[in-house]
Amino acid sequence: MASIRCRPLVLSILRTAIRPATTATATTTMRHYSEKHRQHSGPEFATTVDSLKQAVRVGKDEELSNRQLFSRLKPDAKTLDTLDMLQLGTEKRGRFERRKWFRYNEPDVKLPHINFFAGALTAESFPAETLPEIGFVGRSNVGKSTLVNMLCGSSAARVSERPGLTQQINFYTADNDFHLVDMPGYGFAYAKEEQKQAWVPLIESYVRDRKRLKRVMLLLDARHGIKTNDREFMALLERTGTKYQVVMTKCDLVSRIDLAKRHLLVVQETQKARNCIPRVLMVSAKNERGLNELRKEILHTCGLGKKYLAMHKKKEVIARTEYMEQLDIFKETARPKKRRQ
């Protein structure tokens, strides 16, 4: 009778002992591949902790945790103004705090509708290079397929809450003007270990040998910033000489101040990269914020600015001017806060 009662306890102990090993195996696939090619890797990127220590002044006898360093980090004022204008990031307001009666009427940028036309499990099955290509890559569950759909107002890319649904390189054509390429996510994924081990060499062969690849959009979760797997993939892109640009996703899940701080750290960590575009974009596919800036980057990169962005610059200047005028009125009529004596 006692052995029967102890059986659930033994099973729970065995489960907790086995679980970390499987998770570690799933998340270290790319790390083993990068160690294999470390002698040919590019420059080493600064870690988030190093960037925090450089940005925050700490006393000689003062020992602070990473969370305390992050809380002391001062966000960039211009970045906060941009986030406020684009309504990116969450913001807590008091019950009686004054709210803005206006908003930035950003002119829309539309991309052509996309259609799936090819999928590749091996390098030999890549389609012919006929149009400029923009690649999307990032950690599993960072929102690659969702972002591709929202950019083009389509549902061609399959979306799932389970990480690792995209298990091949998917090619989408946009009205015979350019191709969007959705690559498998690295890191933790619900897929067989053999499949995950084959993903990284497949992606490397694509970014290294594809001549019409104009740029790779490296997606980062705004809640976490650059993680170890991201740095390893950035080193891969540096090694292959591939131009890439960092895009921070899921900005609707981060407070506005923390988002500005995380943006500052990402900029500092990528400023030494030779092939990284200096401008770091921030988007929210759920709230459809910041997507127009990414659409413009894609069109300009593919040489389609004149075709799709005619008169857009003039409309954008008018919208920004109207917003700044309303903002000045809002600041002038705001009541000054009374200080407690």
Side-chain angles (χ1 to χ4, degrees):
M1 191 71 178
S3 62
I4 296 175
R5 291 180 180 177
C6 295
R7 186 173 299 171
L9 178 61
V10 174
L11 290 175
S12 63
I13 294 173
L14 287 173
R15 287 171 184 169
T16 54
I18 295 172
R19 191 176 301 156
T22 57
T23 305
T25 304
T27 56
T28 56
T29 302
M30 188 169 180
R31 187 174 303 171
H32 293 321
Y33 186 83
S34 64
E35 289 176 356
K36 182 180 178 181
H37 298 269
R38 183 169 293 177
Q39 57 182 350
H40 302 291
S41 62
E44 294 185 0
F45 297 95
T47 62
T48 304
V49 177
D50 295 335
S51 300
L52 275 172
K53 291 180 179 179
Q54 292 177 2
V56 179
R57 294 183 179 179
V58 182
K60 295 181 179 180
D61 300 332
E62 202 172 10
E63 295 183 0
L64 299 177
S65 63
N66 295 341
R67 183 172 296 180
Q68 291 173 329
L69 287 172
F70 187 77
S71 63
R72 286 194 181 186
L73 181 64
K74 294 183 179 180
D76 183 60
K78 292 183 179 180
T79 304
L80 281 174
D81 292 340
T82 302
L83 295 177
D84 187 44
M85 182 177 67
L86 298 177
Q87 296 182 353
L88 280 168
T90 60
E91 186 179 16
K92 293 183 179 180
R93 294 181 179 274
R95 183 178 179 183
F96 301 102
E97 189 173 352
R98 193 164 175 237
R99 297 179 181 271
K100 294 178 181 177
W101 65 85
F102 59 95
R103 58 183 298 179
Y104 173 53
N105 296 320
E106 185 180 10
D108 290 331
V109 178
K110 294 185 178 180
L111 294 182
H113 192 77
I114 60 172
N115 293 305
F116 173 82
F117 79 97
L121 288 171
T122 60
E124 292 75 16
S125 58
F126 290 157
E129 301 183 55
T130 56
L131 295 174
E133 295 177 354
I134 302 293
F136 288 83
V137 72
R139 289 175 54 84
S140 299
N141 205 29
V142 78
K144 296 183 300 296
S145 302
T146 302
L147 183 59
V148 169
N149 286 334
M150 294 304 299
L151 283 173
C152 302
S154 173
S155 58
R158 292 180 58 193
V159 178
S160 174
E161 294 181 357
R162 291 171 60 88
L165 180 66
T166 304
Q167 300 185 4
Q168 63 179 2
I169 297 182
N170 295 323
F171 294 81
Y172 302 90
T173 180
D175 199 20
N176 293 325
D177 283 331
F178 59 92
H179 293 160
L180 295 183
V181 184
D182 187 9
M183 291 178 259
Y186 49 83
F188 178 77
Y190 289 100
K192 295 181 180 180
E193 192 63 28
E194 297 178 356
Q195 292 178 327
K196 289 183 288 185
Q197 289 178 355
W199 287 349
V200 177
L202 176 66
I203 295 174
E204 182 176 8
S205 63
Y206 170 76
V207 299
R208 183 186 63 241
D209 302 331
R210 207 69 174 173
K211 297 180 181 179
R212 298 301 301 272
L213 178 62
K214 296 298 182 180
R215 188 174 300 179
V216 171
M217 298 297 179
L218 179 62
L219 308 187
L220 303 178
D221 194 325
R223 296 170 296 179
H224 310 301
I226 302 178
K227 304 191 77 173
T228 303
N229 288 339
D230 299 316
R231 293 187 186 91
E232 293 168 354
F233 196 85
M234 289 164 64
L236 187 151
L237 294 174
E238 290 289 335
R239 185 172 65 250
T240 56
T242 306
K243 292 291 182 182
Y244 63 98
Q245 186 170 7
V246 175
V247 181
M248 300 174 64
T249 63
K250 300 186 179 182
C251 292
D252 55 285
L253 302 178
V254 189
S255 67
R256 191 161 295 173
I257 294 179
D258 288 350
L259 180 58
K261 292 180 180 180
R262 190 68 65 184
H263 178 268
L264 178 62
L265 292 176
V266 171
V267 171
Q268 290 181 352
E269 292 180 52
T270 57
Q271 62 184 357
K272 293 183 179 180
R274 295 187 299 269
N275 296 309
C276 183
I277 305 300
R279 189 185 182 198
V280 177
L281 300 178
M282 293 174 284
V283 299
S284 170
K286 180 180 179 180
N287 297 338
E288 300 183 23
R289 300 294 181 187
L291 298 181
N292 286 328
E293 294 297 322
L294 181 54
R295 292 184 182 118
K296 287 189 292 184
E297 287 286 340
I298 293 174
L299 292 174
H300 284 303
T301 303
C302 296
L304 299 170
K306 293 183 179 180
K307 180 177 180 179
Y308 287 95
L309 298 176
M311 300 297 294
H312 177 79
K313 188 65 177 179
K314 185 176 181 180
K315 294 179 182 178
E316 189 176 34
V317 171
I318 294 174
R320 286 178 178 270
T321 303
E322 293 177 353
Y323 173 82
M324 295 306 297
E325 291 176 353
Q326 295 291 334
L327 183 62
D328 292 337
I329 296 174
F330 178 80
K331 291 180 179 180
E332 289 177 359
T333 57
R335 296 179 180 177
K337 294 182 181 180
K338 295 182 179 180
R339 295 183 178 179
R340 295 181 179 179
Q341 295 181 353

